[in-house]
Structures are given as C-alpha cells and as structure tokens.
C-alpha cells in the first residue's frame, strides 16, 4: 500500500471558516474555565448532562468507530480488500475520539482534577463510567500510535516505522478490544437509569445495541468520507470496495433492526410508541431513519451509484445520531421535579467549533499527509 498527500493550498475558504468557528468555541471555553459551568451551560439537577456529553462524547465517539469497524474487517476477519480504507478510517477515529476526550474534559465541574482518572487509588472499581473513561482515553492514545506511520512516512523516518511495525499488531489488538468494551458500556450506563429512561429504549440489550450502532455509524463515516474526498479532491472513487462495504452494512443494519423490533415486542413496549408524545414521535423518526438505508444500499443496482451510497450513509448517520440523542436525552425523564433542558447558544457554538475543527483538520491532513491511497496503484483483490 502506497499513500500520498493530495497537495494543494492549505488555507482555503472551508479551512478558514472552520478555524473561525473553532476560535469562537475556544473563546467560550476560556470563559467557562474561569467562571465555571453554570455561567455557560443549561444543565441542572434534573438534566446533569447536556450536549457536550451527549453529542461530543456519545455521538462523537460513534463517529470515531470508523477505524475500529474497518480494523475488525481487515485484521480480525482478514478481508484485505478493505485495506485502502484503513488510514482514512483511522484519521476519522483520531478526530472522533479527540472530540470525545475534549467533551469529557470541558464538562468536568472541577476540571483541574481531571488527572484523578489516571490515579488508581482514586478509582471506584464498581463504576461503569470509570471503565468507559479509561477505555476512551486509552483508545485515543492507541489511535495516535496507529496513525503514527502516516507522520513517519511524511518526515522520512522509515527506520522508526519499521521498528513500530514489529509491535503494531499489539496496538491493533488493543484498538479492537477497547472500543468493544466502552461502546457497550455506554449502553450499560443507560441501564442504570432504570425507569427514568422510556421503555422504548430501556432494555438489557442496550450494550449490544450500542456496540452495533457504533459499528454501523463507523461504516457510515467511512462511506461518507470516501465519497466526499473523491468528489472534493477530484480523485477516483473506490467503488468496488464501497459496494462490498455496503453489503456488510445491510446485513448488520438488518440484524440491528430485527433485534430492536423483537426486543420491543418481548417487553411489550409498543404501546409507548403510540401515545402521541414527543418521545413517540422521535422514536418513529429514529426507526424510519434506521430503516431507510436498506432502500439505498440493499438493491445491488443502487450500490453501483455513488449517490445511493452517499445517501444511504448520510441517512444511517442521522438515524444513529437520533438513536443516541433519544436514549440519552429525549427519552430521559427526571424522577422528580419539573426539569427542562435546552442547550444555550454557548453550548451549541462550542460543539460546532469542535466539529469544525475535525472538518478543518481532515482537509489539512489529507492535503499534507499520505492518508489516501495513490490513485494509479492497483487495488488488492479479495483475499
């Protein structure tokens, strides 16, 4: 596999816009660190988590599962034909989990004590949140090591890369283990909420459903990035790889929907979907968005069209986003009190700034680093 930078001017209009949004977010965060969380965000005793956790961490980490999902295909299932997608997927994981790590840090009330997460004698060994925090932090460091060969190639440090390659299989193994643990644990956290979470989402199957939804969203990001990169940088689209990946997505999405429907039926939760509430409406929106990709990606004739692949990936990502919003925020009701939550302008601008940083850095990395496969090379045949 030989990769190369796309090249071109770095300071383009999209990068400048992303940098401006990021600076606005950083300015608000400086104010937050001086005057505290209460001066910036709208969380309260009823809703202790806002969009900095639900969007930046729960959804951002799912976007970051692109590298995990592709690594499982390439290294665990030994499907070498997907190897050209590895580096772009790792880059997406690096930024996705970077966003998640920042989201956790800025949402800490006493942020100056963040180091306690890495001090064993301060750990609560019965806490699922401890396991989640350690795994997310560890996986972010793993992503930096897995993506390091890209920088080593850029600066001509080939001897260092050869030494790293000898131990990379250990890093890859940890890179598969850690997301499996913490993505399922994100579902386990919801089980602890008990009756506060609507029966439309409260189930013992949450760890499995969260892991499956993370893999699906990871695949969705891979297709989304591949189509946009080919269009934006005027490069050939690796259609035969994306077609095969679409087939994998269809099977996994079908299994997800079957488990979801069977679980709702077994728990007799369907009446809650017809009670005319905001939760019920959001539930049906989620189910429609999760089922629509089967129309775009299911028929073989649709998979040969980039428009169908892109549309299927976008709708799948929207469905996954809404599933996590529903389970962590919309489907949640505080036990007592008349509590309400809606993000402040500052919260929204910080989140937009973090995502803008991801987009801007993605453009810069693709232009400056050997992330994408050299287009004139023959792609590997199926192993």
């Amino acid at each position: 596999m030989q990769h190369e930078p796309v090249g071109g001017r770095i300071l383009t209009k999209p990068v400048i816009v992303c940098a401006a949004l990021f600076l606005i977010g950083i300015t608000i965060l400086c104010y937050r660190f001086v005057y505290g969380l209460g001066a910036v965000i709208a969380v309260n005793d009823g809703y202790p988590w806002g969009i900095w956790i639900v969007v930046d961490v729960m959804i951002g980490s799912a976007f970051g599962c692109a590298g995990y999902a592709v690594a499982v295909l390439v290294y665990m299932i030994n499907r070498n034909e997907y190897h050209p997608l590895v580096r772009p997927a790792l880059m997406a994981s690096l930024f996705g989990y970077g966003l998640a790590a920042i989201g956790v840090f800025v949402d800490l009330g006493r942020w100056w004590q963040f180091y306690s997460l890495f001090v064993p004698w301060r750990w609560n060994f019965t806490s699922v949140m401890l396991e989640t925090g350690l795994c997310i932090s560890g996986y972010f460091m793993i992503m930096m090591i897995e993506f390091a060969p890209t920088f080593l190639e850029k600066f001509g440090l080939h001897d260092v890369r050869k030494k790293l390659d000898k131990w990379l299989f250990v890093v890859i193994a940890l890179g598969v283990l850690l997301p499996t643990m913490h993505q399922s644990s994100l579902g386990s956290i919801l089980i602890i909420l008990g009756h506060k979470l609507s029966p439309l989402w409260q189930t013992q199957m949450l760890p499995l459903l969260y892991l499956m939804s993370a893999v699906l969203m990871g695949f969705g990001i891979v297709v989304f990035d591949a189509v946009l990169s080919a269009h934006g940088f005027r490069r050939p689209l690796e259609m035969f790889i994306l077609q095969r990946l679409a087939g994998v997505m269809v099977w996994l999405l079908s299994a997800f929907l079957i488990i979801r429907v069977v679980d709702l039926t077994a728990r007799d939760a369907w009446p809650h979907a017809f009670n005319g509430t905001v939760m019920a409406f959001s539930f049906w929106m989620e189910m429609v968005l999760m089922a629509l990709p089967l129309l775009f990606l299911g028929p073989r004739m649709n998979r040969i069209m980039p428009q169908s692949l892109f549309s299927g990936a976008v709708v799948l990502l929207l469905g996954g986003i809404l599933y996590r919003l529903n389970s962590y925020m919309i489907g949640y009701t505080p036990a007592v009190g008349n509590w309400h939550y809606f993000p402040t302008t500052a919260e929204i601008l910080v989140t937009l700034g973090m995502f803008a940083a991801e987009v801007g850095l993605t453009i810069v990395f693709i232009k400056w680093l050997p992330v994408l496969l050299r287009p004139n090379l023959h792609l590997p045949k199926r192993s």
Side-chain angles (χ1 to χ4, degrees):
M1 290 292 166
Q2 295 185 29
H3 302 76
E4 65 176 8
V6 171
R9 191 160 57 95
I10 298 295
L11 290 178
T12 57
K13 288 182 180 179
V15 173
I16 293 173
V17 171
C18 289
L21 289 173
F22 176 69
L23 289 176
I24 292 172
I26 289 296
T27 303
I28 295 172
L29 286 180
C30 291
Y31 184 84
R32 168 264 177 276
F33 286 130
V34 174
Y35 294 99
L37 279 172
V40 176
I41 66 178
V43 298
N44 47 60
D45 290 344
Y47 290 88
W49 285 345
I51 62 172
W52 286 357
I53 291 296
V54 177
V55 176
D56 297 8
V57 180
M58 307 306 170
I59 295 174
S61 66
F63 287 170
C65 278
Y68 164 66
V70 174
V72 170
L73 281 179
V74 175
Y75 300 111
M76 302 297 292
I77 307 179
N78 199 29
R79 296 301 185 187
N80 192 53
E81 67 267 27
Y82 297 106
H83 204 285
L85 302 175
V86 168
R87 281 198 182 179
L90 289 177
M91 181 180 65
S93 289
L94 185 66
F95 294 148
Y97 275 89
L99 173 66
I102 293 172
V104 170
F105 176 69
V106 301
D107 198 72
L108 292 174
R110 299 178 181 179
W111 56 269
W112 56 89
Q113 292 187 350
F114 74 95
Y115 64 89
S116 297
L117 178 63
F118 308 103
V119 180
W121 52 86
R122 293 193 174 188
W123 289 354
N124 176 7
F125 289 94
T126 63
S127 171
V128 68
M129 291 181 64
L130 170 66
E131 184 265 343
T132 303
L134 288 174
C135 285
I136 289 178
S137 303
Y139 187 60
F140 179 65
M141 291 185 283
I142 290 295
M143 283 296 96
M144 290 192 290
I145 298 173
E146 284 195 75
F147 198 68
T150 309
F151 285 94
L152 298 177
E153 285 183 19
K154 175 65 178 179
F155 296 106
L157 301 174
H158 301 293
D159 292 337
V160 178
R161 186 194 166 173
K162 289 180 180 178
K163 294 179 181 179
L164 178 61
D165 286 345
K166 295 179 180 179
W167 296 98
L168 206 55
F169 72 96
V170 178
V171 178
I172 291 171
L174 289 172
V176 172
L177 173 65
L178 294 178
T180 304
M181 295 173 63
H182 67 249
Q183 286 297 334
S184 59
S185 295
L186 292 180
S188 300
I189 292 173
L190 292 173
I191 295 177
I192 301 173
L193 297 180
H195 67 276
K196 295 179 183 179
L197 183 61
S198 168
L200 293 173
W201 295 279
Q202 181 60 277
T203 170
Q204 295 296 313
M205 300 298 293
L206 275 167
L208 175 62
L209 290 171
Y210 254 70
L211 179 59
M212 294 178 70
S213 68
V215 175
L216 283 168
M217 293 176 71
F219 285 146
I221 284 291
V222 169
V223 176
F224 179 84
D225 286 349
V227 175
L228 280 187
S229 297
H231 178 74
F233 298 110
R234 298 179 181 178
R235 296 170 63 87
L237 185 62
E238 298 155 350
M239 281 299 298
F240 84 98
I241 301 178
L242 298 182
Q243 290 169 22
R244 292 184 183 276
L245 186 60
V248 177
M249 294 165 65
V250 167
W251 282 104
L252 184 59
L253 180 56
S254 300
F256 176 87
L257 291 172
I258 291 172
I259 293 173
R260 191 91 165 88
V261 170
V262 170
D263 175 69
L264 288 165
T265 304
R267 294 186 294 105
D268 195 23
W270 285 110
H272 297 275
F274 299 95
N275 57 13
T277 62
V278 173
M279 291 183 188
F281 175 78
S282 192
F283 165 79
W284 285 113
M285 284 291 296
E286 170 201 317
M287 294 296 286
V288 169
L289 288 173
M290 293 300 284
L292 271 180
L294 296 178
L295 298 179
F296 290 108
L297 306 176
R300 290 183 178 272
M301 290 301 297
N302 288 354
R303 297 182 201 171
I304 65 174
M305 296 185 292
Q307 297 90 337
S308 293
L309 290 173
F310 185 75
S311 299
V314 170
V315 176
L316 176 60
L317 290 173
L318 291 175
I321 289 171
L322 189 54
Y323 175 65
R324 294 186 174 228
L325 279 175
N326 281 339
S327 53
Y328 264 94
M329 188 170 291
I330 298 174
Y332 170 79
T333 303
V336 293
N338 188 25
W339 299 101
H340 300 282
Y341 168 79
F342 190 83
T344 64
T345 302
E347 287 180 87
I348 295 172
L349 287 175
V350 168
T351 297
L352 284 177
M354 295 301 105
F355 277 101
E358 282 193 60
V359 174
L361 286 173
T362 297
I363 296 173
V364 172
F365 273 35
I366 289 176
K367 288 185 173 183
W368 184 57
L369 295 172
V371 174
L372 300 182
L373 192 68
R374 187 174 297 174
N376 61 341
L377 289 178
H378 293 292
L379 296 174
K381 297 180 180 179
R382 184 172 180 174
S383 57

